[in-house]
Amino acid sequence: MLTKERIEQEIEYVYNKILDNLDTFETKVPKAVSTDYVYPAVENEDWTDGFWIGMLHLAQSYRFDERIQQVITKQLAVFKQRLDDEVVLNHHDIGFLYSLSAVADYRENKTASSRELALRAADVLMRRYDETAKIFQAWGDVSDSEQQGRMIIDCNMNLPLLYFASDETGDATYRTAAENHVKLAQKYLIREDYSTFHTFYMDIKTGQPRYGATAQGFSDGSCWARGQAWGIYGFPISYTHIGDASLLESASHLADYYLAHLPADKIAYWDLVFTEGSTEERDTSASSITVCGLLELAKQLPLTDTRRTRYEQAAGDILTSLFNYTTKDYPESNGLLVQGVYSKPGNLGVDECTTWGDYFYFEALIRMVKSWSTYW
Ligand code: GLY
C-alpha cells in the first residue's frame, strides 16, 4: 500500500539528488535527456530548461534551503537574459520555460521582477497565435509554410502562461487566444475513440481543419503515450482557468483510454499501440505526467463523482510502480527516473532520464503529500 511515509522517503531521495546537483547546474542546466543516465551541463537554450528550476521551486515549497534559493536566483537571471536576447524562443514551449521559472517564482515568492518576466514571455508566445486558424503554431518560424497552422497536444501545457498574463494584467486577449486554442485542440486532436493525434494542421487561410499527423509517435494513426499524457494533464489545467467542464470530460475519456492500454505494471510503452509483452521501450515520463494529470482531474471533478477515487487510485498505482524505475540502482546517475523516451522515431533519448519526466515525478510526489499551489 502506498503510504505517506513511503512517499516522503522518495521525496528525500529526490531532494538529496537536487542538493547533489546544485553545483553542476548553478547557471547551466541539465541537457534535455541524459546519456547513460547522466545529464551533461549545457547552456539554457532548449525547450526543456525550465524543468530544473521547476524542481528547485518544488523543493523549496517542501523545505526551504538557502543553497537552493541562491541557485534559483542565478537561474532566473539566465532566464531573463534568454528572453532579452531571444535565445531559441521561436517555438511554443515558452510556456513550459517561463511557467516553471518566472510564474513559479512569482507564485512562491511574489517577486515583482518574475511577474514582469512572465508577462514579457507571454507577449513573445502571443506572436505565434494565428488569428484565422485560432491556434498557436507549435514549431518553426511563423512564416514557415511547412509549419503554419500546426498545433500539437503538448501545447496544452504552454497555455497556463497566457492565463497568468490575463489574470495579472486584466487584458483578456491572452485568455481568449488560449481558450480558442484549447477548444480546437479538444475538437481536432482528440479522435473518436479518445486516443489523440500528436499534431494537427489547420488551414491558416480559411481556419478549416486539415489533417492529423504524428511527430514522435509510432504512426499517424497510433497514440503517442506522452501526447496522451499531455492531454490528460493539460485539459484539466485549462478547465481551472476557463471553467469549461467539457474539458474535464475530455480529460476523463483520455485517461480511460490511457489506463486501458497499459501493460501489467502500469508503466506505458512509448506508444500506446504497444501492449503487455512488447519489446519496445517504456516511457516513464508519460507515466509521471499522467500521475499529475490524474490527480488534477480527480481534484477538479465534483465531490460526488465516483471517478475521483478511481483516478486517485490509478495515480497511486502508477506512482508506486514508478518507484521501481528510479536511478537508485545507478549511483553515478544525476537523474531520477530511468527508461524515459524523448523520440523513438528520431532515435533521440531512448531509455534515458528525461528532464520533464524527472520534474513531473517530483511534482507528483509533492502533490501526494501537501496542498501544492500550482505553477500551471
Ligand atoms: N513537448 C515535447 C515532448 O514532449 O517531447
Side-chain angles (χ1 to χ4, degrees):
M1 201 186 109
L2 183 56
T3 61
K4 189 159 183 271
E5 289 67 34
R6 179 68 188 88
I7 298 168
E8 285 169 348
Q9 188 190 346
E10 200 60 25
I11 289 177
E12 290 307 319
Y13 178 73
V14 175
Y15 203 98
N16 286 324
K17 188 71 84 172
I18 288 171
L19 291 179
D20 288 348
N21 283 341
L22 284 179
D23 287 346
T24 313
F25 307 122
E26 194 179 37
T27 54
K28 294 197 173 179
V29 287
K31 195 173 171 190
V33 288
S34 63
T35 301
D36 298 332
Y37 296 159
V38 177
Y39 294 114
V42 294
E43 299 296 337
N44 186 328
E45 49 192 27
D46 205 345
W47 73 273
T48 50
D49 298 336
F51 296 117
W52 166 239
I53 188 170
M55 288 176 63
L56 299 177
H57 284 302
L58 289 172
Q60 292 297 68
S61 79
Y62 186 71
R63 188 169 62 233
F64 184 84
D65 186 305
E66 183 53 37
R67 291 166 296 177
I68 297 179
Q69 199 53 44
Q70 283 172 11
V71 176
I72 288 178
T73 304
K74 288 182 180 161
Q75 287 283 338
L76 282 168
V78 178
F79 274 94
K80 179 177 179 303
Q81 196 64 49
R82 181 166 176 184
L83 194 66
D84 288 348
D85 298 346
E86 292 207 18
V87 177
V88 198
L89 291 180
N90 213 3
H91 54 73
H92 67 158
D93 291 320
I94 299 162
F96 273 112
L97 289 167
Y98 286 90
S99 289
L100 291 179
S101 54
V103 175
D105 189 57
Y106 184 64
R107 295 237 162 102
E108 293 288 358
N109 302 315
K110 289 281 164 285
T111 322
S113 55
S114 288
R115 177 182 177 278
E116 281 313 303
L117 188 61
L119 296 179
R120 283 178 52 214
D123 284 335
V124 177
L125 179 53
M126 281 299 290
R127 293 186 207 150
R128 308 190 66 78
Y129 183 67
D130 187 281
E131 290 288 351
T132 306
K134 301 202 181 310
I135 55 105
F136 285 86
Q137 180 184 322
W139 299 317
D141 193 86
V142 290
S143 65
D144 178 350
S145 58
E146 296 288 308
Q147 295 294 343
Q148 283 172 337
R150 189 180 203 184
M151 65 172 153
I152 77 173
I153 187 86
D154 323 28
C155 191
N156 281 11
M157 302 301 290
N158 290 320
L159 304 178
L161 181 65
L162 303 169
Y163 299 128
F164 174 85
S166 275
D167 290 345
E168 288 297 318
T169 62
D171 178 350
T173 314
Y174 308 93
R175 184 191 315 280
T176 302
E179 183 167 356
N180 288 342
H181 178 103
V182 80
K183 291 299 291 177
L184 289 171
Q186 179 188 37
K187 189 166 180 183
Y188 295 118
L189 285 165
I190 302 177
R191 304 188 186 104
E192 276 191 8
D193 65 355
Y194 301 114
S195 64
T196 46
F197 286 115
H198 181 190
T199 89
F200 193 94
Y201 291 88
M202 304 293 293
D203 188 322
I204 62 157
K205 293 203 178 67
T206 64
Q208 290 303 303
R210 294 178 65 207
Y211 61 95
T214 200
Q216 283 157 259
F218 175 71
S219 69
D220 290 344
S222 73
C223 184
W224 179 48
R226 194 160 64 254
Q228 193 82 358
W230 292 135
I232 292 167
Y233 196 6
F235 287 118
I237 289 175
S238 271
Y239 166 78
T240 65
H241 293 284
I242 61 176
D244 178 339
S246 76
L247 297 173
L248 286 186
E249 292 309 312
S250 292
S252 171
H253 288 305
L254 263 53
D256 291 345
Y257 183 96
Y258 182 95
L259 296 172
H261 288 79
L262 293 181
D265 78 350
K266 301 190 186 305
I267 305 302
Y269 292 96
W270 64 273
D271 192 297
L272 298 180
V273 77
F274 305 115
T275 50
E276 181 64 28
S278 169
T279 54
E280 289 291 325
E281 292 79 8
R282 313 295 179 120
D283 178 12
T284 52
S285 74
S287 307
S288 60
I289 297 161
T290 297
V291 174
C292 295
L294 291 171
L295 293 175
E296 187 65 39
L297 174 58
K299 186 172 158 191
Q300 299 306 330
L301 286 169
L303 285 174
T304 51
D305 195 313
T306 54
R307 288 174 295 179
R308 285 175 72 110
T309 320
R310 186 155 60 82
Y311 293 140
E312 279 165 6
Q313 180 69 44
D317 290 348
I318 296 172
L319 190 60
T320 304
S321 193
L322 278 177
F323 293 163
N324 299 320
Y325 286 82
T326 70
T327 49
K328 289 197 191 67
D329 292 335
Y330 302 89
E332 73 288 359
S333 174
N334 53 8
L336 295 177
L337 284 183
V338 299
Q339 297 192 39
V341 171
Y342 189 174
S343 174
K344 184 76 193 279
N347 193 23
L348 187 64
V350 178
D351 183 8
E352 288 294 347
C353 302
T354 66
T355 42
W356 57 91
D358 288 359
Y359 168 83
F360 286 104
Y361 183 56
F362 195 21
E363 188 189 302
L365 293 166
I366 294 287
R367 277 174 169 275
M368 286 279 188
V369 292
K370 73 191 277 277
S371 165
W372 174 67
S373 49
T374 178
Y375 308 150
W376 303 109

